[in-house]
Amino acid sequence: EDTLGGSERLLSSPVPLFYSRHTARFISIWLLFLPFALYGQFGDSWNHIMMIPASLLISVFLFGIEELATQLEEPFTILPMQGFCDKIGANCDEIASWAGQDVYKMPEEVIEQIEMARPELKMKSNLALLGGEPEEEEADVRQKKRMMLKKLLRIGEGI
């Protein structure tokens, strides 16, 4: 819950527009005066012609860095969050679908010992330990899978 709340706060509190505009204006003015600073450095080239591609290259790099910074200010807009959530949901559904299967089949003698110790269980499968039965109706299978997953997670927290 803390991580989700922190992520929602990041998403809902955008960077003030003034910061982005100030950075873009500063870079633009700096790059406007860049040819004057480079004039003396390119004194050996004919008519200082090499100053133009050098200024363009530096401008492309700096404006590219500024655009990257603008994109990284709001990371949730550039990440495929819906795809991440769909994948997590599919993984959870897959884990929940395992609940009806006896993946970890207990040996018969262990089941007999548990039944003798706790006759109220009358285990037909490993799910009897968790309180679920595999022969239940299939009307609301999805809800039962989610409930079983929650029980499994609660059991896992206690370990």
Side-chain angles (χ1 to χ4, degrees):
E1 292 178 12
D2 293 335
T3 306
L4 178 62
S7 298
E8 287 176 351
R9 280 192 298 277
L10 277 176
L11 179 62
S12 64
S13 60
V15 175
L17 193 57
F18 173 75
Y19 293 153
S20 300
R21 286 184 179 168
H22 178 73
T23 305
R25 287 176 186 154
F26 176 79
I27 290 174
S28 298
I29 292 171
W30 192 85
L31 290 172
L32 181 67
F33 289 110
L34 181 64
F36 298 112
L38 295 178
Y39 188 80
Q41 301 296 325
F42 286 95
D44 295 339
S45 66
W46 178 79
N47 200 15
H48 301 279
I49 198 78
M50 291 306 294
M51 185 174 55
I52 295 171
S55 296
L56 286 175
L57 185 65
I58 293 171
S59 298
V60 166
F61 284 142
L62 289 179
F63 278 124
I65 290 171
E66 197 269 334
E67 181 61 28
L68 279 172
T70 302
Q71 291 292 320
L72 291 176
E73 285 174 356
E74 297 178 16
F76 297 109
T77 60
I78 59 174
L79 294 175
M81 295 305 288
Q82 187 62 42
F84 291 160
C85 293
D86 291 343
K87 184 68 174 175
I88 291 170
N91 290 342
C92 288
D93 287 341
E94 181 183 354
I95 291 170
S97 70
W98 298 341
Q101 303 172 4
D102 282 336
V103 177
Y104 303 104
K105 187 70 176 160
M106 294 172 67
E108 291 296 324
E109 29 314 318
V110 174
I111 293 175
E112 290 173 5
Q113 289 175 359
I114 292 174
E115 285 177 349
M116 287 191 322
R118 295 186 61 195
E120 69 274 5
L121 286 180
K122 298 202 181 197
M123 295 175 51
K124 296 175 187 161
S125 71
N126 297 344
L127 292 177
L129 289 173
L130 300 174
E133 292 297 327
E135 292 87 19
E136 295 175 357
E137 294 181 20
E138 297 293 325
D140 52 346
V141 174
R142 192 174 190 93
Q143 181 181 5
K144 290 176 184 174
K145 287 179 181 179
R146 291 187 188 277
M147 293 301 294
M148 190 62 62
L149 181 61
K150 288 179 184 178
K151 286 181 183 179
L152 288 170
L153 290 174
R154 271 190 248 126
I155 290 172
E157 289 175 358
I159 295 176

